[in-house]
Amino acid sequence: MSTREELNLGNFIWAHRVGEEMTQVEFAKLLGISKQRLCDIEKNRGNLSIKMCKTLADKLGFSRSWFVQLEFEYQFKKEGLNLEIQSISEK
């Protein structure tokens, strides 16, 4: 289980939405996903695919590799693996 202080993609998405003063319904519409899916992402329920990470990054104007890194390092941590991803370059 994560806390809001922990940096992971779900917490970042939540903080970004709150900072933009948008409801889940408004933000989900912006992202092209359902409100329930957004809620699951914000609460770190389930695992996001690389494709979904890239889509979210594109829609919000953030680095694709950073979103993928945040998500997968969190997945590794949930599974008890102490692994980090290092980005060499993004094309």
Side-chain angles (χ1 to χ4, degrees):
M1 171 127 340
S2 73
T3 65
R4 286 287 179 215
E5 294 80 35
E6 180 179 17
L7 181 58
N8 60 53
L9 189 55
N11 290 349
F12 179 80
I13 296 287
W14 171 82
H16 187 71
R17 177 181 65 79
V18 170
E20 293 294 319
E21 299 181 348
M22 295 178 78
T23 67
Q24 282 186 332
V25 171
E26 294 167 332
F27 206 62
K29 186 175 182 178
L30 172 76
L31 297 175
I33 60 176
S34 70
K35 177 190 171 292
Q36 182 58 51
R37 181 67 173 133
L38 175 59
C39 183
D40 288 342
I41 291 169
E42 289 182 351
K43 299 224 182 259
N44 297 296
R45 291 191 291 247
N47 296 323
L48 297 179
S49 67
I50 291 173
K51 183 176 181 178
M52 177 59 83
C53 292
K54 288 168 45 178
T55 298
L56 294 173
D58 290 346
K59 294 208 177 200
L60 295 174
F62 290 97
S63 163
R64 289 173 156 193
S65 61
W66 187 59
F67 269 35
V68 170
Q69 180 179 358
L70 281 177
E71 175 61 20
F72 280 79
E73 284 182 355
Y74 181 69
Q75 287 182 32
F76 296 155
K77 184 178 178 183
K78 283 193 314 187
E79 295 300 322
L81 300 170
N82 188 22
L83 300 171
E84 291 182 1
I85 298 172
Q86 286 187 313
S87 178
I88 296 171
S89 68
E90 183 176 329
K91 294 183 179 185

Coordinates of all heavy atoms in Angstrom, one line a residue:
M1 N 0.8 -1.2 0.0 CA 0.0 0.0 0.0 C 0.9 1.2 0.0 O 1.9 1.3 0.7 CB -0.9 0.0 1.2 CG -1.7 1.3 1.4 SD -3.4 1.3 1.6 CE -4.1 -0.2 1.0
S2 N 0.5 2.2 -0.8 CA 1.3 3.4 -0.8 C 0.7 4.5 0.0 O -0.5 4.5 0.4 CB 1.4 3.9 -2.3 OG 0.2 4.4 -2.7
T3 N 1.5 5.5 0.3 CA 1.0 6.7 0.9 C 1.0 7.9 -0.1 O 1.7 7.7 -1.1 CB 1.8 7.1 2.2 OG1 3.2 7.4 1.7 CG2 1.9 6.0 3.2
R4 N 0.4 9.0 0.2 CA 0.4 10.1 -0.8 C 1.8 10.7 -0.8 O 2.1 11.4 -1.8 CB -0.7 11.1 -0.4 CG -2.1 10.7 -0.7 CD -2.3 10.8 -2.2 NE -3.6 10.3 -2.5 CZ -4.0 9.7 -3.6 NH1 -3.1 9.4 -4.5 NH2 -5.2 9.3 -3.7
E5 N 2.6 10.5 0.2 CA 4.0 11.1 0.2 C 4.9 10.3 -0.8 O 5.9 10.9 -1.2 CB 4.6 11.1 1.6 CG 3.8 12.0 2.6 CD 2.5 11.4 3.1 OE1 2.5 10.2 3.3 OE2 1.6 12.2 3.3
E6 N 4.6 9.1 -1.0 CA 5.5 8.2 -1.9 C 5.3 8.7 -3.3 O 4.2 8.8 -3.8 CB 5.0 6.8 -1.7 CG 5.8 5.8 -2.5 CD 5.4 4.4 -2.3 OE1 4.3 4.2 -1.8 OE2 6.1 3.5 -2.7
L7 N 6.4 8.8 -4.0 CA 6.4 9.2 -5.4 C 6.1 8.0 -6.3 O 7.0 7.1 -6.4 CB 7.6 9.9 -5.9 CG 7.6 10.4 -7.3 CD1 6.5 11.3 -7.6 CD2 8.9 11.1 -7.7
N8 N 5.0 7.9 -6.9 CA 4.7 6.8 -7.9 C 3.7 7.5 -8.8 O 3.2 8.6 -8.6 CB 4.1 5.6 -7.2 CG 2.9 5.8 -6.4 OD1 1.9 6.3 -6.9 ND2 2.9 5.3 -5.1
L9 N 3.4 6.8 -9.9 CA 2.6 7.4 -10.9 C 1.1 7.7 -10.5 O 0.6 8.8 -10.8 CB 2.5 6.5 -12.2 CG 1.9 7.1 -13.4 CD1 2.5 8.5 -13.8 CD2 1.9 6.2 -14.6
G10 N 0.5 6.8 -9.7 CA -0.8 7.1 -9.2 C -0.9 8.3 -8.3 O -1.8 9.2 -8.5
N11 N 0.1 8.5 -7.4 CA 0.1 9.7 -6.6 C 0.4 10.9 -7.4 O -0.2 12.0 -7.1 CB 1.1 9.5 -5.5 CG 0.7 8.4 -4.4 OD1 -0.4 8.0 -4.4 ND2 1.6 8.0 -3.6
F12 N 1.3 10.8 -8.4 CA 1.5 12.0 -9.2 C 0.3 12.4 -10.0 O 0.0 13.6 -10.1 CB 2.7 11.7 -10.2 CG 3.0 12.9 -11.0 CD1 3.8 13.9 -10.6 CD2 2.5 12.9 -12.3 CE1 4.0 15.0 -11.4 CE2 2.8 14.0 -13.1 CZ 3.5 15.1 -12.6
I13 N -0.4 11.5 -10.6 CA -1.6 11.8 -11.3 C -2.6 12.5 -10.4 O -3.3 13.5 -10.8 CB -2.2 10.5 -12.0 CG1 -1.3 9.9 -13.0 CG2 -3.6 10.8 -12.5 CD1 -1.2 10.6 -14.3
W14 N -2.8 11.9 -9.2 CA -3.7 12.5 -8.2 C -3.3 13.9 -7.9 O -4.1 14.9 -7.9 CB -3.7 11.7 -6.9 CG -4.5 12.3 -5.8 CD1 -5.8 12.3 -5.6 CD2 -3.9 13.1 -4.7 NE1 -6.2 13.0 -4.5 CE2 -5.0 13.5 -3.9 CE3 -2.6 13.4 -4.4 CZ2 -4.8 14.3 -2.8 CZ3 -2.5 14.2 -3.2 CH2 -3.5 14.6 -2.5
A15 N -2.0 14.1 -7.6 CA -1.5 15.5 -7.2 C -1.7 16.5 -8.4 O -2.1 17.6 -8.1 CB -0.1 15.4 -6.8
H16 N -1.4 16.0 -9.6 CA -1.6 16.9 -10.7 C -3.1 17.3 -10.9 O -3.3 18.5 -11.2 CB -1.1 16.1 -12.0 CG -1.0 17.0 -13.2 ND1 -0.1 18.0 -13.3 CD2 -1.8 17.0 -14.3 CE1 -0.3 18.6 -14.5 NE2 -1.3 18.0 -15.1
R17 N -4.0 16.3 -10.8 CA -5.4 16.6 -10.9 C -5.8 17.6 -9.9 O -6.5 18.6 -10.2 CB -6.2 15.3 -10.8 CG -7.7 15.6 -10.9 CD -8.6 14.4 -10.8 NE -8.4 13.7 -9.5 CZ -9.1 14.1 -8.4 NH1 -9.9 15.1 -8.4 NH2 -8.9 13.4 -7.3
V18 N -5.5 17.4 -8.6 CA -5.8 18.3 -7.5 C -5.2 19.7 -7.8 O -5.9 20.7 -7.6 CB -5.4 17.7 -6.2 CG1 -5.5 18.7 -5.1 CG2 -6.2 16.4 -5.9
G19 N -4.0 19.7 -8.2 CA -3.3 21.0 -8.5 C -4.0 21.8 -9.6 O -4.1 23.0 -9.6
E20 N -4.6 21.0 -10.6 CA -5.3 21.7 -11.7 C -6.8 22.0 -11.3 O -7.5 22.6 -12.1 CB -5.4 20.8 -12.9 CG -4.0 20.5 -13.5 CD -3.4 21.8 -14.1 OE1 -4.2 22.6 -14.8 OE2 -2.2 22.0 -14.0
E21 N -7.1 21.6 -10.0 CA -8.5 21.9 -9.5 C -9.6 21.3 -10.4 O -10.6 21.9 -10.7 CB -8.7 23.4 -9.3 CG -7.8 24.0 -8.3 CD -8.0 25.4 -8.0 OE1 -8.7 26.1 -8.7 OE2 -7.4 25.9 -7.0
M22 N -9.3 20.0 -10.8 CA -10.3 19.3 -11.6 C -10.9 18.2 -10.8 O -10.2 17.5 -10.0 CB -9.6 18.8 -12.9 CG -9.1 19.9 -13.8 SD -8.2 19.2 -15.2 CE -9.6 18.7 -16.3
T23 N -12.2 17.9 -11.1 CA -12.8 16.7 -10.6 C -12.3 15.4 -11.3 O -11.7 15.5 -12.4 CB -14.3 16.8 -10.7 OG1 -14.6 16.7 -12.1 CG2 -14.9 18.0 -10.1
Q24 N -12.6 14.3 -10.7 CA -12.2 13.0 -11.4 C -12.9 12.9 -12.7 O -12.3 12.4 -13.7 CB -12.5 11.8 -10.5 CG -11.4 11.6 -9.4 CD -11.7 10.3 -8.7 OE1 -12.8 9.8 -8.5 NE2 -10.6 9.8 -8.1
V25 N -14.1 13.3 -12.8 CA -14.9 13.2 -14.0 C -14.3 14.1 -15.1 O -14.1 13.6 -16.2 CB -16.4 13.6 -13.8 CG1 -17.1 13.8 -15.1 CG2 -17.1 12.7 -12.9
E26 N -13.9 15.3 -14.8 CA -13.3 16.2 -15.7 C -11.9 15.7 -16.2 O -11.6 15.7 -17.4 CB -13.1 17.6 -15.1 CG -14.4 18.4 -14.8 CD -14.2 19.6 -13.9 OE1 -13.2 19.6 -13.1 OE2 -15.0 20.5 -14.0
F27 N -11.1 15.2 -15.2 CA -9.8 14.8 -15.5 C -9.8 13.5 -16.4 O -9.1 13.3 -17.3 CB -9.0 14.6 -14.2 CG -7.5 14.7 -14.4 CD1 -6.9 15.9 -14.8 CD2 -6.7 13.7 -14.1 CE1 -5.6 16.0 -15.0 CE2 -5.3 13.8 -14.2 CZ -4.7 15.0 -14.7
A28 N -10.7 12.6 -16.0 CA -10.9 11.3 -16.8 C -11.3 11.6 -18.2 O -10.7 11.0 -19.1 CB -11.9 10.5 -16.1
K29 N -12.1 12.6 -18.4 CA -12.5 13.0 -19.8 C -11.3 13.5 -20.5 O -11.1 13.2 -21.7 CB -13.7 14.0 -19.7 CG -14.2 14.4 -21.0 CD -15.4 15.3 -20.9 CE -16.0 15.6 -22.3 NZ -17.2 16.5 -22.3
L30 N -10.5 14.4 -19.9 CA -9.3 14.9 -20.5 C -8.4 13.8 -20.9 O -7.8 13.8 -22.0 CB -8.6 15.8 -19.5 CG -7.2 16.3 -19.9 CD1 -7.3 17.4 -21.0 CD2 -6.4 16.8 -18.7
L31 N -8.3 12.7 -20.1 CA -7.4 11.6 -20.4 C -8.0 10.6 -21.3 O -7.3 9.7 -21.8 CB -7.0 10.9 -19.0 CG -6.2 11.8 -18.1 CD1 -6.0 11.0 -16.8 CD2 -4.9 12.2 -18.7
G32 N -9.3 10.6 -21.5 CA -9.9 9.7 -22.4 C -10.2 8.3 -21.7 O -10.1 7.3 -22.4
I33 N -10.3 8.3 -20.4 CA -10.6 7.1 -19.6 C -11.8 7.3 -18.8 O -12.3 8.4 -18.6 CB -9.3 6.7 -18.8 CG1 -9.0 7.8 -17.8 CG2 -8.1 6.4 -19.7 CD1 -7.9 7.4 -16.8
S34 N -12.3 6.2 -18.2 CA -13.4 6.3 -17.3 C -13.0 6.9 -15.9 O -11.9 6.8 -15.5 CB -14.1 4.9 -17.1 OG -13.2 4.1 -16.3
K35 N -14.0 7.4 -15.2 CA -13.8 7.9 -13.9 C -13.3 6.8 -13.0 O -12.4 7.0 -12.2 CB -15.0 8.6 -13.3 CG -14.9 9.0 -11.9 CD -16.2 9.4 -11.3 CE -16.2 9.7 -9.8 NZ -15.9 8.5 -9.0
Q36 N -13.9 5.6 -13.1 CA -13.4 4.5 -12.3 C -12.0 4.1 -12.6 O -11.2 3.8 -11.7 CB -14.4 3.3 -12.5 CG -14.0 2.1 -11.6 CD -14.1 2.4 -10.2 OE1 -15.0 2.9 -9.7 NE2 -13.0 2.1 -9.4
R37 N -11.6 4.1 -13.8 CA -10.2 3.8 -14.2 C -9.3 4.8 -13.6 O -8.2 4.5 -13.0 CB -10.0 3.7 -15.7 CG -8.6 3.4 -16.2 CD -8.3 1.9 -15.8 NE -7.0 1.6 -16.4 CZ -6.1 0.9 -15.7 NH1 -6.2 0.6 -14.5 NH2 -5.0 0.6 -16.3
L38 N -9.6 6.1 -13.7 CA -8.8 7.2 -13.0 C -8.7 6.9 -11.5 O -7.6 7.0 -11.0 CB -9.4 8.5 -13.3 CG -8.7 9.7 -12.6 CD1 -7.2 9.8 -13.0 CD2 -9.4 11.0 -12.9
C39 N -9.8 6.6 -10.9 CA -9.8 6.3 -9.5 C -8.9 5.2 -9.1 O -8.1 5.3 -8.2 CB -11.2 6.0 -9.0 SG -11.4 5.8 -7.2
D40 N -8.9 4.1 -9.9 CA -8.0 3.0 -9.7 C -6.6 3.4 -9.9 O -5.7 3.0 -9.1 CB -8.3 1.9 -10.7 CG -9.6 1.1 -10.4 OD1 -10.1 1.3 -9.3 OD2 -10.1 0.5 -11.3
I41 N -6.3 4.2 -10.9 CA -4.9 4.7 -11.1 C -4.4 5.5 -9.9 O -3.3 5.3 -9.4 CB -4.8 5.5 -12.4 CG1 -5.0 4.6 -13.6 CG2 -3.5 6.3 -12.5 CD1 -5.2 5.4 -14.9
E42 N -5.3 6.5 -9.5 CA -4.9 7.4 -8.3 C -4.7 6.6 -7.1 O -3.9 7.0 -6.2 CB -6.0 8.4 -8.1 CG -6.0 9.5 -9.2 CD -7.0 10.6 -9.0 OE1 -7.9 10.4 -8.1 OE2 -7.0 11.6 -9.7
K43 N -5.4 5.5 -6.9 CA -5.3 4.7 -5.7 C -4.3 3.5 -5.8 O -4.2 2.7 -5.0 CB -6.7 4.2 -5.3 CG -7.7 5.3 -5.0 CD -8.4 5.0 -3.7 CE -9.4 6.1 -3.5 NZ -9.0 7.0 -2.5
N44 N -3.6 3.5 -7.0 CA -2.6 2.5 -7.2 C -3.1 1.1 -7.2 O -2.4 0.2 -6.7 CB -1.4 2.7 -6.3 CG -0.7 4.0 -6.4 OD1 -0.1 4.3 -7.4 ND2 -0.8 4.9 -5.4
R45 N -4.3 1.0 -7.7 CA -4.9 -0.4 -7.8 C -4.6 -0.9 -9.2 O -4.9 -0.3 -10.2 CB -6.4 -0.3 -7.6 CG -6.8 0.0 -6.2 CD -8.3 -0.2 -5.9 NE -9.1 0.8 -6.5 CZ -9.8 1.8 -5.9 NH1 -9.7 1.9 -4.6 NH2 -10.5 2.6 -6.6
G46 N -4.1 -2.1 -9.3 CA -3.8 -2.7 -10.6 C -2.4 -2.2 -11.1 O -1.7 -1.4 -10.4
N47 N -2.1 -2.7 -12.2 CA -0.8 -2.3 -12.9 C -1.1 -1.6 -14.2 O -2.0 -2.1 -15.0 CB 0.1 -3.5 -13.1 CG 0.5 -4.1 -11.8 OD1 0.8 -3.4 -10.8 ND2 0.6 -5.4 -11.7
L48 N -0.4 -0.6 -14.5 CA -0.6 0.1 -15.8 C 0.4 -0.5 -16.8 O 1.5 -0.8 -16.5 CB -0.3 1.6 -15.7 CG -1.2 2.4 -14.8 CD1 -0.8 3.8 -14.7 CD2 -2.7 2.2 -15.2
S49 N 0.0 -0.6 -18.1 CA 0.8 -1.1 -19.1 C 1.7 0.1 -19.6 O 1.5 1.2 -19.3 CB 0.0 -1.5 -20.3 OG -0.7 -0.4 -20.9
I50 N 2.8 -0.3 -20.3 CA 3.6 0.7 -20.9 C 2.8 1.6 -21.9 O 3.0 2.8 -21.8 CB 4.8 0.0 -21.7 CG1 5.7 -0.7 -20.7 CG2 5.6 1.0 -22.6 CD1 6.8 -1.5 -21.3
K51 N 1.9 1.0 -22.6 CA 1.1 1.8 -23.6 C 0.3 2.8 -22.8 O 0.2 4.0 -23.2 CB 0.2 0.9 -24.3 CG -0.6 1.6 -25.4 CD -1.4 0.6 -26.2 CE -2.3 1.3 -27.2 NZ -3.0 0.4 -28.1
M52 N -0.3 2.4 -21.7 CA -1.1 3.4 -20.9 C -0.3 4.5 -20.3 O -0.7 5.7 -20.3 CB -1.9 2.7 -19.8 CG -2.7 3.6 -18.9 SD -3.9 4.6 -19.8 CE -5.3 3.4 -19.9
C53 N 0.9 4.1 -19.8 CA 1.8 5.1 -19.3 C 2.2 6.2 -20.3 O 2.2 7.4 -20.1 CB 3.1 4.5 -18.7 SG 2.9 3.5 -17.3
K54 N 2.5 5.7 -21.6 CA 2.8 6.6 -22.7 C 1.6 7.5 -23.0 O 1.8 8.7 -23.3 CB 3.3 5.8 -23.9 CG 4.6 5.1 -23.7 CD 5.0 4.1 -24.7 CE 4.7 4.5 -26.1 NZ 5.1 3.4 -27.1
T55 N 0.5 6.9 -23.1 CA -0.7 7.7 -23.4 C -1.0 8.8 -22.4 O -1.2 9.9 -22.7 CB -2.0 6.8 -23.5 OG1 -1.8 5.8 -24.5 CG2 -3.2 7.5 -23.7
L56 N -0.9 8.4 -21.1 CA -1.1 9.4 -20.0 C -0.1 10.5 -20.1 O -0.4 11.7 -20.0 CB -1.1 8.8 -18.6 CG -2.2 7.8 -18.3 CD1 -1.9 7.1 -17.0 CD2 -3.6 8.4 -18.3
A57 N 1.2 10.2 -20.3 CA 2.3 11.1 -20.4 C 2.0 12.1 -21.6 O 2.2 13.3 -21.4 CB 3.6 10.4 -20.6
D58 N 1.6 11.6 -22.7 CA 1.4 12.4 -23.9 C 0.2 13.3 -23.6 O 0.3 14.5 -24.0 CB 1.0 11.5 -25.1 CG 2.2 10.7 -25.6 OD1 3.4 11.1 -25.2 OD2 2.0 9.8 -26.4
K59 N -0.9 12.9 -23.0 CA -2.0 13.7 -22.8 C -1.8 14.8 -21.8 O -2.4 15.9 -21.9 CB -3.2 12.9 -22.4 CG -3.7 11.9 -23.5 CD -5.1 11.6 -23.4 CE -5.4 10.7 -24.6 NZ -6.8 10.7 -24.9
L60 N -0.8 14.5 -20.9 CA -0.5 15.5 -19.8 C 0.7 16.4 -20.1 O 1.1 17.3 -19.4 CB -0.4 14.9 -18.5 CG -1.7 14.2 -18.0 CD1 -1.4 13.4 -16.7 CD2 -2.8 15.3 -17.8
G61 N 1.5 16.0 -21.2 CA 2.6 16.7 -21.6 C 3.9 16.4 -20.7 O 4.7 17.3 -20.6
F62 N 4.0 15.2 -20.3 CA 5.2 14.8 -19.5 C 6.0 13.8 -20.3 O 5.5 13.2 -21.2 CB 4.7 14.2 -18.1 CG 4.2 15.3 -17.2 CD1 2.8 15.5 -17.1 CD2 5.0 16.1 -16.4 CE1 2.3 16.4 -16.2 CE2 4.5 17.1 -15.6 CZ 3.2 17.2 -15.5
S63 N 7.2 13.5 -19.8 CA 8.0 12.5 -20.4 C 7.5 11.1 -20.3 O 7.1 10.6 -19.2 CB 9.4 12.6 -19.7 OG 10.2 11.4 -19.9
R64 N 7.4 10.5 -21.5 CA 6.9 9.1 -21.5 C 7.8 8.2 -20.6 O 7.3 7.3 -19.9 CB 7.0 8.5 -22.9 CG 6.0 9.1 -23.8 CD 6.2 8.6 -25.2 NE 5.0 8.7 -26.0 CZ 4.9 8.1 -27.2 NH1 5.9 7.5 -27.7 NH2 3.8 8.2 -27.9
S65 N 9.1 8.3 -20.8 CA 10.0 7.4 -20.0 C 9.9 7.7 -18.5 O 10.0 6.7 -17.7 CB 11.5 7.6 -20.5 OG 11.9 8.9 -20.2
W66 N 9.7 8.9 -18.1 CA 9.5 9.1 -16.7 C 8.2 8.5 -16.1 O 8.2 7.8 -15.1 CB 9.5 10.6 -16.4 CG 9.5 11.0 -14.9 CD1 10.4 10.6 -14.0 CD2 8.5 11.7 -14.2 NE1 10.1 11.1 -12.7 CE2 8.9 11.7 -12.9 CE3 7.3 12.3 -14.6 CZ2 8.1 12.4 -11.9 CZ3 6.5 12.9 -13.6 CH2 7.0 13.0 -12.2
F67 N 7.1 8.5 -16.9 CA 5.9 7.9 -16.4 C 6.1 6.4 -16.4 O 5.6 5.7 -15.4 CB 4.7 8.2 -17.4 CG 3.9 9.5 -17.0 CD1 4.6 10.5 -16.4 CD2 2.6 9.5 -17.2 CE1 3.9 11.7 -16.0 CE2 1.8 10.6 -16.8 CZ 2.5 11.7 -16.2
V68 N 6.7 5.8 -17.4 CA 7.0 4.3 -17.4 C 7.9 4.0 -16.2 O 7.6 3.0 -15.5 CB 7.6 3.9 -18.7 CG1 8.1 2.5 -18.6 CG2 6.6 4.0 -19.9
Q69 N 8.9 4.8 -16.0 CA 9.8 4.5 -14.8 C 9.1 4.6 -13.5 O 9.2 3.7 -12.7 CB 10.9 5.5 -14.8 CG 11.9 5.3 -13.7 CD 13.0 6.3 -13.7 OE1 13.1 7.2 -14.6 NE2 13.9 6.3 -12.7
L70 N 8.3 5.6 -13.3 CA 7.5 5.7 -12.0 C 6.6 4.5 -11.8 O 6.6 3.9 -10.7 CB 6.6 6.9 -12.0 CG 7.2 8.3 -11.7 CD1 6.2 9.4 -11.9 CD2 7.9 8.3 -10.4
E71 N 5.9 4.1 -12.9 CA 5.0 3.0 -12.7 C 5.7 1.6 -12.5 O 5.3 0.9 -11.6 CB 4.1 2.8 -14.0 CG 3.2 1.6 -14.0 CD 2.2 1.6 -12.8 OE1 1.9 2.6 -12.2 OE2 1.7 0.5 -12.6
F72 N 6.7 1.4 -13.3 CA 7.4 0.1 -13.1 C 8.2 -0.1 -11.9 O 8.3 -1.1 -11.3 CB 8.1 -0.3 -14.4 CG 7.1 -0.8 -15.5 CD1 6.4 0.1 -16.2 CD2 7.0 -2.2 -15.6 CE1 5.4 -0.4 -17.1 CE2 6.0 -2.6 -16.6 CZ 5.3 -1.7 -17.3
E73 N 8.9 1.0 -11.4 CA 9.6 0.9 -10.2 C 8.6 0.7 -9.0 O 8.9 0.0 -8.1 CB 10.4 2.2 -10.0 CG 11.7 2.2 -10.8 CD 12.6 3.4 -10.6 OE1 12.2 4.3 -9.8 OE2 13.6 3.5 -11.2
Y74 N 7.4 1.3 -9.1 CA 6.4 1.0 -8.1 C 6.0 -0.5 -8.1 O 5.8 -1.1 -7.1 CB 5.2 1.9 -8.2 CG 4.2 1.7 -7.2 CD1 4.4 2.0 -5.9 CD2 2.9 1.2 -7.5 CE1 3.4 1.8 -4.9 CE2 2.0 1.0 -6.6 CZ 2.2 1.3 -5.3 OH 1.3 1.1 -4.3
Q75 N 5.8 -1.0 -9.3 CA 5.4 -2.4 -9.5 C 6.5 -3.3 -8.9 O 6.2 -4.3 -8.2 CB 5.1 -2.8 -10.9 CG 3.8 -2.2 -11.5 CD 3.6 -2.6 -12.9 OE1 3.9 -3.7 -13.3 NE2 2.9 -1.7 -13.6
F76 N 7.8 -3.0 -9.2 CA 8.9 -3.8 -8.6 C 8.8 -3.8 -7.1 O 9.0 -4.8 -6.4 CB 10.2 -3.2 -9.1 CG 10.5 -3.3 -10.6 CD1 11.4 -2.4 -11.2 CD2 9.9 -4.3 -11.4 CE1 11.6 -2.5 -12.5 CE2 10.1 -4.3 -12.7 CZ 11.0 -3.4 -13.3
K77 N 8.6 -2.6 -6.5 CA 8.6 -2.4 -5.1 C 7.5 -3.2 -4.5 O 7.6 -3.9 -3.4 CB 8.4 -0.9 -4.7 CG 8.5 -0.7 -3.2 CD 8.4 0.8 -3.0 CE 8.4 1.1 -1.5 NZ 8.3 2.5 -1.1
K78 N 6.3 -3.2 -5.1 CA 5.1 -4.0 -4.6 C 5.5 -5.5 -4.5 O 5.0 -6.2 -3.7 CB 3.9 -3.8 -5.5 CG 3.2 -2.5 -5.3 CD 1.8 -2.5 -5.9 CE 1.7 -3.0 -7.3 NZ 0.4 -2.8 -7.9
E79 N 6.3 -5.9 -5.4 CA 6.7 -7.3 -5.5 C 7.9 -7.7 -4.7 O 8.4 -8.8 -4.7 CB 6.9 -7.8 -7.0 CG 5.6 -7.7 -7.8 CD 4.5 -8.6 -7.3 OE1 4.8 -9.7 -6.8 OE2 3.4 -8.2 -7.4
G80 N 8.4 -6.7 -3.9 CA 9.5 -6.9 -3.1 C 10.9 -6.9 -3.8 O 11.9 -7.4 -3.3
L81 N 10.9 -6.3 -5.0 CA 12.2 -6.3 -5.8 C 12.8 -4.9 -5.6 O 12.1 -3.9 -5.9 CB 11.9 -6.6 -7.2 CG 11.3 -7.9 -7.5 CD1 10.8 -8.0 -9.0 CD2 12.3 -9.0 -7.2
N82 N 14.0 -4.8 -5.3 CA 14.7 -3.5 -5.1 C 15.4 -3.2 -6.4 O 16.6 -3.3 -6.5 CB 15.7 -3.6 -3.9 CG 16.3 -2.2 -3.6 OD1 15.7 -1.2 -4.0 ND2 17.4 -2.2 -3.0
L83 N 14.6 -2.8 -7.4 CA 15.2 -2.5 -8.8 C 14.8 -1.1 -9.2 O 13.8 -0.6 -8.8 CB 14.6 -3.5 -9.8 CG 14.8 -5.0 -9.6 CD1 14.0 -5.8 -10.6 CD2 16.3 -5.3 -9.7
E84 N 15.7 -0.5 -9.9 CA 15.5 0.8 -10.4 C 15.7 0.8 -12.0 O 16.5 0.0 -12.5 CB 16.4 1.9 -9.8 CG 16.2 2.1 -8.4 CD 17.1 3.2 -7.8 OE1 17.9 3.7 -8.6 OE2 17.0 3.5 -6.6
I85 N 15.0 1.7 -12.6 CA 15.1 1.8 -14.1 C 16.0 3.1 -14.3 O 15.7 4.1 -13.8 CB 13.8 1.9 -14.8 CG1 12.9 0.7 -14.5 CG2 13.9 2.2 -16.2 CD1 11.5 0.8 -15.0
Q86 N 17.0 3.0 -15.2 CA 17.7 4.1 -15.6 C 17.4 4.4 -17.1 O 17.6 3.5 -17.9 CB 19.2 3.8 -15.4 CG 19.7 3.9 -14.0 CD 21.2 3.8 -13.9 OE1 21.8 2.9 -14.5 NE2 21.8 4.6 -13.1
S87 N 17.1 5.6 -17.3 CA 16.8 6.0 -18.7 C 18.0 6.5 -19.4 O 18.7 7.4 -18.8 CB 15.7 7.1 -18.7 OG 15.5 7.6 -20.0
I88 N 18.4 5.9 -20.5 CA 19.6 6.4 -21.2 C 19.2 7.6 -22.1 O 19.9 8.6 -22.1 CB 20.2 5.2 -22.0 CG1 20.6 4.1 -21.1 CG2 21.3 5.7 -22.9 CD1 21.0 2.8 -21.8
S89 N 18.2 7.4 -22.9 CA 17.7 8.5 -23.7 C 16.3 8.2 -24.2 O 15.8 7.1 -24.2 CB 18.6 8.7 -24.9 OG 18.5 7.6 -25.8
E90 N 15.6 9.3 -24.5 CA 14.2 9.2 -25.0 C 14.2 9.8 -26.4 O 14.6 10.9 -26.6 CB 13.3 9.9 -24.1 CG 11.8 9.7 -24.5 CD 10.9 10.3 -23.5 OE1 11.2 10.4 -22.3 OE2 9.8 10.8 -24.0
K91 N 13.7 9.0 -27.4 CA 13.6 9.5 -28.7 C 12.2 10.0 -29.0 O 11.3 9.7 -28.4 CB 14.0 8.5 -29.7 CG 15.4 8.1 -29.6 CD 15.8 7.1 -30.6 CE 17.3 6.7 -30.4 NZ 17.8 5.9 -31.4

